[in-house]
């Protein structure tokens, strides 16, 4: 059983930056693929970014490419989401997700473990 907890959300002005963190416990972190998803009010949950076991491969949703960066620190059992050039459209609850069933994944259905989410609000 893997447990993940997000932190780092908050209120930021458009054009600003935030860094989200996700701490994982349980399981073997170095063989857990991790991802970030988000859900805006009234919308479906959306894939944001994913990272492979080693961190050697990353991939992003189209709406955040070039602005967001996912990274992981296997020594600390943490994954991060650096968000730059934030836009009001980025306002959402951001979720960290983990899976032991794939080396990397962008499909929500492949993730088995989810955090409670952290709110990110971008004001215009």
């Amino acid at each position: 059983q893997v447990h993940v907890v997000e932190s780092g959300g908050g209120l930021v002005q458009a054009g600003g930056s935030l860094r989200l963190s996700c701490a994982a416990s349980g399981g073997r972190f170095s063989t857990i693929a991790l991802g970030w998803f988000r859900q805006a009010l009234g919308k479906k949950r959306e894939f944001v970014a994913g990272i492979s076991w080693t961190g050697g491969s990353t991939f992003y949703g189209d709406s955040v490419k070039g602005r967001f960066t996912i990274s992981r620190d296997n020594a600390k059992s943490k994954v991060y989401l650096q968000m730059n050039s934030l836009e009001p459209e980025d306002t959402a609850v951001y979720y960290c997700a983990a899976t032991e069933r794939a080396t990397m994944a962008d499909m929500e259905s492949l993730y088995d473990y989810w955090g409670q989410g952290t709110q990110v609000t971008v004001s215009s």
Side-chain angles (χ1 to χ4, degrees):
Q1 186 85 9
V2 178
H3 185 59
V4 292
V5 179
E6 308 93 339
S7 61
L11 174 64
V12 64
Q13 288 189 331
S17 298
L18 275 177
R19 189 174 84 151
L20 304 183
S21 298
C22 173
S25 59
R28 183 178 176 186
F29 190 80
S30 61
T31 59
I32 296 172
L34 295 151
W36 288 96
F37 290 76
R38 68 185 182 185
Q39 187 167 22
L41 195 63
K43 294 187 177 181
K44 293 182 179 180
R45 191 149 54 184
E46 172 191 22
F47 172 75
V48 174
I51 190 165
S52 62
W53 290 359
T54 63
S57 295
T58 58
F59 49 110
Y60 300 90
D62 288 341
S63 61
V64 306
K65 282 180 182 176
R67 300 187 299 122
F68 290 11
T69 302
I70 188 171
S71 61
R72 64 188 291 164
D73 185 336
N74 284 0
K76 296 182 178 179
S77 297
K78 287 189 173 182
V79 62
Y80 305 98
L81 184 68
Q82 178 66 44
M83 305 185 294
N84 298 330
S85 302
L86 283 161
E87 304 167 351
E89 293 74 23
D90 296 315
T91 295
V93 177
Y94 283 71
Y95 297 92
C96 178
T99 179
E100 298 172 299
R101 294 190 285 132
T103 57
M104 55 192 298
D106 59 355
M107 293 176 60
E108 188 174 337
S109 60
L110 289 176
Y111 286 92
D112 297 311
Y113 307 104
W114 295 81
Q116 293 297 310
T118 185
Q119 177 70 48
V120 172
T121 303
V122 184
S123 63
S124 56

